[in-house]
Amino acid sequence: TRRVQQAAAAGIPQVLTFGHTSGENRRVWVERFKQLGPIARDHGVKIVVKQHGETGQVTGEIVREVADEGIRVNYDAGNVMDYTKGQVNPLDDIKTCAELIHSFCIKDHRMFPVNQDCGPGLGEIDHYRLLANVAFTGREMPLACENISAPKIRPTKPAEIDALARRAREFLEIVVRG
């Protein structure tokens, strides 16, 4: 409740939350979101749930069960690939919850040469196809880059980090324009 109040006071439209939602945890998440949804709506804020150890399908099921406009999905395609070890294709998974998505944690993922999260455009996820699922909803959607690194390379100098951040931004600008 405090985070929602703080976000509203600062004019921040979304509060991101995530955690493991399987098993008995699912009941707790649903119960708490049913309490928090009206509070979020009353403050003009959305609570967005990022799948963490789950798929968008599971997160979408939880949001549908809560059935409150104050609770929506933050989609992370890199997490889907990472936590399912590439067994679930994010381009299929996103279709199971696209109507509920209100923001993205953007990162990419690749299984080769190493199983690793990486910056957008440096992995195996087709961001054109991914974002096409929500491109014409009319909703403004934050695209927050969680990872900008290149596979197997961790920058150490500020100029290297700046270059990767600029590359990630420019890549996403091109995809969004396209």
Side-chain angles (χ1 to χ4, degrees):
T1 299
R2 289 288 298 141
R3 297 297 168 260
V4 168
Q5 292 167 340
Q6 290 167 341
I12 298 170
Q14 296 185 3
V15 172
L16 175 69
T17 186
F18 60 91
H20 295 283
T21 55
S22 60
E24 180 61 20
N25 289 339
R26 181 179 176 135
R27 181 189 61 75
V28 173
W29 281 93
V30 169
E31 179 182 295
R32 291 189 182 153
F33 283 146
K34 284 187 177 193
Q35 295 168 2
L36 289 168
I39 295 167
R41 278 187 288 107
D42 288 348
H43 285 84
V45 173
K46 294 217 184 290
I47 296 173
V48 289
V49 187
K50 175 182 163 186
Q51 76 273 18
H52 193 74
E54 305 289 351
T55 60
Q57 180 177 353
V58 172
T59 307
E61 290 168 1
I62 289 168
V63 170
R64 283 185 196 93
E65 187 175 342
V66 172
D68 191 295
E69 291 292 320
I71 310 295
R72 288 294 175 242
V73 172
N74 170 284
Y75 196 79
D76 185 335
N79 269 10
V80 171
M81 280 192 72
D82 187 18
Y83 287 109
T84 68
K85 298 183 179 7
Q87 298 302 303
V88 175
N89 183 339
L91 299 181
D92 296 327
D93 182 56
I94 193 172
K95 290 174 175 46
T96 67
C97 64
E99 80 281 4
L100 302 169
I101 296 172
H102 279 251
S103 60
F104 285 82
C105 253
I106 295 282
K107 65 174 173 269
D108 216 327
H109 193 88
R110 60 174 37 262
M111 304 306 288
F112 180 84
V114 63
N115 181 354
Q116 182 181 9
D117 288 333
C118 54
L122 295 172
E124 299 174 22
I125 297 168
D126 182 337
H127 286 84
Y128 283 95
R129 291 184 191 270
L130 183 77
L131 295 175
N133 290 281
V134 298
F136 303 102
T137 63
R139 295 188 298 265
E140 287 189 22
M141 292 192 204
L143 307 177
C145 287
E146 183 176 316
N147 187 321
I148 58 171
S149 295
K152 297 185 79 171
I153 300 169
R154 292 291 182 218
T156 57
K157 297 182 175 98
E160 295 170 332
I161 295 167
D162 288 348
L164 285 170
R166 185 172 28 266
R167 196 208 63 72
R169 178 185 49 82
E170 289 171 350
F171 172 79
L172 287 172
E173 286 174 346
I174 289 168
V175 170
V176 169
R177 273 197 341 248

